[in-house]
Amino acid sequence: MFLQMMKKAILLVAVLTLTVSCGEYQTLLKSDDAGAKYTYAEELYNEAQEENSKKKYRKALRLFEQIVPQYRGKPQGEKLSFLFANTYYQLGDFYLSSYEFERFQQSYPNSDKLEEAAYKKARSFYELSPRYDLDQTDTHKAIAELQAYLNTYPEGEHAEAANDMAAELRIKLERKEYEIAKQYHLTGEARAGNYQAAITSFTNFLSNNPGSPFREDAQYYRFDSAYQLAVNSFRELMQERLEQALEYSQEYKKYYPEGEYSEAVEASTEDIKSRLQNF
């Protein structure tokens, strides 16, 4: 009986505390007291960090949004601007976090939070980078920002993470370029001109991405595009195209003598040599 009464009392106190807290917060939202809003918003922010609470970050953000303009250029403005940007970041609103971190960098170029702001701005663009098959504007921006961070802080706290993210994003761009070329190859049977487009695209890809994980695939599909183009050509064009395909075959075998596509390349190469004997 006593324990039940204690539990009810504790619950009642918690409810009353929450009610008072919510009432205080709502009153502050309508208040013109910027100092009180600053103090309470910072308390909410610190609690949100300790508890990893999205709810408290959102509550702090509403107060920050009201007072940030009033503190620009004032001594408290530097800290407030960083907390404001980082709140967006913690809430996953990466468009606004990237914007606010950029604004912080421009406004406070001597801040001791400058490195963290540069990294989180770059990380924001990294988080905005879409699937490889979509527009990659944010991916290019993220790579540029990550590289800017690495150039400025080569031994920085987040240098390893920044390098890893930049490498991941470059592979994403390579995949997009590779998949475009491969699509030309896959549609070549329906439209012969696409085989030529595939050859050109794969050649450009190999030139632009010497260390790509898609390099062997690109070598093979360039060869196969050339082979398919040759064997489906008019006779007057066939010899030259067979010889070109043979060159691509030799290049594949040079770099990948025991590669994934070795058997397919060898079979097609034998067919090319057989056909060339007729010329």
Side-chain angles (χ1 to χ4, degrees):
M1 186 69 174
F2 177 74
L3 287 175
Q4 287 181 335
M5 291 178 64
M6 285 292 293
K7 287 180 181 178
K8 287 181 180 180
I10 292 170
L11 180 60
L12 180 60
V13 170
V15 170
L16 288 172
T17 302
L18 181 62
T19 302
V20 171
S21 176
C22 289
E24 180 184 3
Y25 178 71
Q26 292 299 326
T27 301
L28 270 177
L29 284 175
K30 299 172 185 177
S31 167
D32 293 327
D33 189 340
K37 288 182 178 182
Y38 188 119
T39 300
Y40 195 63
E42 188 175 2
E43 288 177 8
L44 285 169
Y45 175 90
N46 291 334
E47 290 173 7
Q49 283 204 309
E50 291 173 6
E51 302 168 18
N52 192 26
S53 170
K54 299 290 187 185
K55 182 179 180 180
K56 288 190 175 180
Y57 275 125
R58 283 191 287 269
K59 290 179 73 174
L61 182 63
R62 290 186 67 188
L63 292 170
F64 285 146
E65 287 172 335
Q66 292 183 354
I67 62 175
V68 162
Q70 300 175 51
Y71 279 94
R72 295 199 191 282
K74 295 182 179 179
Q76 306 97 318
E78 178 182 335
K79 181 178 182 180
L80 180 59
S81 294
F82 182 85
L83 297 183
F84 185 43
N86 200 44
T87 301
Y88 279 126
Y89 181 85
Q90 297 298 334
L91 288 170
D93 192 338
F94 296 114
Y95 278 114
L96 287 176
S97 66
S98 63
Y99 173 79
E100 291 300 334
F101 279 125
E102 172 75 24
R103 195 168 187 176
F104 176 83
Q105 287 178 294
Q106 293 175 350
S107 301
Y108 305 101
N110 298 315
S111 172
D112 59 2
K113 287 286 190 179
L114 207 59
E115 179 186 346
E116 187 176 353
Y119 171 73
K120 287 185 172 177
K121 179 180 70 171
R123 179 70 185 254
S124 294
F125 280 107
Y126 166 82
E127 297 291 349
L128 291 170
S129 176
R131 296 194 321 257
Y132 78 89
D133 54 331
L134 299 177
D135 178 76
Q136 296 299 307
T137 299
D138 285 326
T139 303
H140 286 287
K141 181 67 174 174
I143 291 173
E145 292 294 344
L146 287 164
Q147 192 58 56
Y149 170 82
L150 289 166
N151 290 343
T152 308
Y153 308 101
E155 305 296 328
E157 179 183 354
H158 307 286
E160 184 177 353
N163 268 312
D164 290 343
M165 286 188 286
E168 178 187 333
L169 294 179
R170 289 189 184 101
I171 290 174
K172 182 184 289 188
L173 294 179
E174 290 171 12
R175 183 178 180 187
K176 183 178 180 70
E177 187 179 350
Y178 165 76
E179 293 290 351
I180 289 172
K182 189 176 178 181
Q183 190 60 32
Y184 283 127
H185 170 82
L186 294 174
T187 56
E189 187 174 347
R191 185 176 179 183
N194 282 4
Y195 281 132
Q196 187 61 63
I199 294 167
T200 301
S201 297
F202 281 124
T203 298
N204 291 337
F205 175 85
L206 291 165
S207 176
N208 296 336
N209 305 287
S212 173
F214 305 106
R215 191 168 180 81
E216 180 184 354
D217 301 84
Q219 288 271 17
Y220 168 70
Y221 284 113
R222 180 176 66 167
F223 159 69
D224 194 54
S225 295
Y227 171 68
Q228 298 296 340
L229 179 65
V231 299
N232 289 288
S233 296
F234 294 112
R235 183 172 176 77
E236 58 268 24
L237 298 173
M238 188 177 291
Q239 181 178 3
E240 181 182 354
R241 288 177 174 178
L242 287 170
E243 289 171 349
Q244 181 67 75
L246 188 60
E247 288 183 21
Y248 293 147
S249 162
Q250 292 166 346
E251 189 168 343
Y252 175 87
K253 288 190 285 186
K254 173 184 175 182
Y255 290 106
Y256 308 101
E258 297 181 3
E260 178 183 353
Y261 306 100
S262 293
E263 290 185 10
V265 170
E266 190 58 39
S268 297
T269 300
E270 290 302 313
D271 183 55
I272 290 171
K273 291 178 180 178
S274 176
R275 290 173 183 268
L276 282 173
Q277 289 177 357
N278 295 325
F279 293 91

